[in-house]
Amino acid sequence: MNHVKFPNTVQKLIRSYRLRSNCLSLVFGAASIVGSAIWDADLKSVVAGEPTWGRFLNAAQQTEVKLPREWAPDKNIAWTSEIEGYGQSTPIVADDQVVVTSTSGENKDNYHVTSFNLADGKKRWQVDLTNPSPFKNSPMVSRAAPSAIATSNGFVAFFEGGVLAAISADGKTTWEKNLVEQYGPIEARHGLAASLEANDKHVFVWVERSDDPYVLAIDPKTGDEVWKAAGVGATSWASPRLISVGDSQHLVCSASGKIIGINPANGERLWSFDGVSNNTSCTPMPAGNGRFLIGASDGRGETTAGVAAASNGLIEITPKDDGSFDVGYKWQAKKATSSFGSPVVAGDTAAIVNRAGVLYRLDLETGERVSVDRTSAGGIWATPLVAGDLIYLFGYKGTTSVISLTDGEEVAENRCWEADAEESRFGSGKVLYAAAPASPYLLIRRGDRLYAIK
């Protein structure tokens, strides 16, 4: 078993994490985005001595990492690199490299896993894979949306067409699985978007397809199936999330009208909660032991538009004496609704951003409104990032608002590229999908380009 020695900054963050909550991790990522443990033993990042962003963590949480506050196309951008094709996943940072996924071809014929040097953005390696489920490449379907994950052996990448592959830190494919060949066709409204999750033994893959959805536990070293369980059975573009409950963990999956908890050891369904609606996009966000924030939207395609606010809130999982669990809201929002970005813990508040870029902050214990502010970011597809007394809102059209958590003031309005007419069209053009801290940079992922901000 490999053990990683973390630098002093990360050790401080871990201490902070343990004091604040047993289930918040160090990091956040479209969609978006939190593992309930930090780089678990067998799935620790492949690098010692460097801060890493080892998985999709569609969450923001308080950290002591100092991030840049101001940037512009001609200011504070250390490097930028072109990504082949187009993708919507979060950058993964490990082994002094940044790994992203993307797809290309008229029918998303090809998938790509590409590594760039963290220091200068130069391409290190690229692995090209064939899509077993070609589908028209358009803004109306997911395009390399699931984020990869770093393991002790390198990286595991998953694509919505059904490709699952492990790649070493030097870019060699160690195993590859065709989930379509093994489990049947993958058909889902607008495609899949669920990123990978992991604990100390398994990588979890959630395939919420239209018929016979499923969740897999995979051995990251061999690619072998450990267990296979039924999915939720409803529309979802969220990701599975491990939530600490007492001394154990539940793998929580959220889909329209239902949230379920799975035992990550054997795939047993532990509980199901259906007192929710419009929760298709937001990933459950750890907010203390046995607690998570859930987001819901009045966005496109929701069948109960206008009632989403009540489904935004804090959910508690309470163990019972007979081994079962009570699951329900501790509080529900009155007016705040989410967009594609999930609610996040920001100090002693829950931060929720609606489709118009309005930031609501609600007391984390009671749900009472603390503040409401309109921001320059507009609608967000990436989940916000909290760093110290600041919260970063990554508008999908390219504007990042930096907001003070102390007084609610917008301290900076930033862009990596100049605004143009393309950005006015939903889901097309230059869309900001994700951000990740990677000392000494803040990384921003556009569909076709990666930016390192200093």
Side-chain angles (χ1 to χ4, degrees), residues 315-336:
I315 292 179
E316 288 188 317
I317 308 167
T318 305
K320 299 169 65 175
D321 291 340
D322 63 1
S324 62
F325 300 89
D326 277 332
V327 180
Y329 282 99
K330 178 176 175 61
W331 55 259
Q332 294 166 271
K334 296 180 176 67
K335 292 187 177 181

Side-chain angles (χ1 to χ4, degrees), residues 105-185:
E106 184 178 354
N107 294 301
K108 300 197 299 181
D109 307 281
N110 309 300
Y111 287 133
H112 313 287
V113 185
T114 308
S115 168
F116 299 92
N117 289 332
L118 177 60
D120 57 16
K122 292 181 179 178
K123 184 183 288 190
R124 183 176 293 191
W125 50 258
Q126 181 168 303
V127 173
D128 301 317
L129 303 163
T130 300
N131 181 1
S133 306
F135 196 87
K136 178 66 176 178
N137 195 341
S138 84
M140 299 309 297
V141 298
S142 58
R143 293 185 281 181
S147 297
I149 197 164
T151 75
S152 59
N153 303 303
F155 305 91
V156 177
F158 172 57
F159 295 91
E160 64 271 12
V163 175
L164 182 68
I167 300 166
S168 66
D170 58 357
K172 295 180 174 59
T173 301
T174 55
W175 55 259
E176 180 180 343
K177 293 175 72 71
N178 181 336
L179 300 188
V180 173
E181 186 176 87
Q182 191 164 358
Y183 304 110

Side-chain angles (χ1 to χ4, degrees), residues 371-450:
S371 64
V372 56
D373 298 284
R374 185 173 293 275
T375 72
S376 300
I380 63 170
W381 289 8
T383 291
L385 171 63
V386 176
D389 62 353
L390 299 174
I391 183 169
Y392 289 66
L393 309 184
F394 304 97
Y396 80 90
K397 293 184 179 181
T399 297
T400 298
S401 294
V402 184
I403 311 294
S404 169
L405 294 175
T406 303
D407 56 19
E409 293 295 317
E410 188 171 59
V411 300
E413 177 184 339
N414 307 307
R415 292 188 65 89
C416 292
W417 63 90
E418 299 291 349
D420 59 41
E422 274 194 321
E423 292 160 10
S424 65
R425 301 200 305 273
F426 180 84
S428 63
K430 302 170 182 176
V431 176
L432 194 165
Y433 286 106
S439 183
Y441 306 124
L442 170 64
L443 300 175
I444 286 183
R445 164 64 187 278
R446 199 172 78 181
D448 60 351
R449 187 164 286 276
L450 192 61

Side-chain angles (χ1 to χ4, degrees), residues 78-96:
W79 55 259
T80 179
S81 296
E82 184 178 359
I83 299 169
E84 182 169 351
Y86 199 91
Q88 300 162 319
S89 59
T90 297
I92 300 302
V93 185
D95 197 25
D96 297 322

Side-chain angles (χ1 to χ4, degrees), residues 256-274:
S256 183
K258 183 182 288 188
I259 306 173
I260 66 171
I262 297 173
N263 184 336
N266 58 20
E268 174 193 4
R269 184 171 296 192
L270 300 172
W271 52 263
S272 178
F273 176 69
D274 60 7

Side-chain angles (χ1 to χ4, degrees), residues 151-220:
T151 75
S152 59
N153 303 303
F155 305 91
V156 177
F158 172 57
F159 295 91
E160 64 271 12
V163 175
L164 182 68
I167 300 166
S168 66
D170 58 357
K172 295 180 174 59
T173 301
T174 55
W175 55 259
E176 180 180 343
K177 293 175 72 71
N178 181 336
L179 300 188
V180 173
E181 186 176 87
Q182 191 164 358
Y183 304 110
I186 296 176
E187 295 181 2
R189 178 184 166 203
H190 301 306
L192 301 179
S195 295
L196 300 174
E197 177 61 302
N199 63 9
D200 60 342
K201 295 181 180 178
H202 308 141
V203 169
F204 302 103
V205 187
W206 181 19
V207 180
E208 192 63 24
R209 59 187 177 184
S210 300
D211 296 317
D212 192 25
Y214 58 88
V215 181
L216 294 175
I218 298 293
D219 184 325

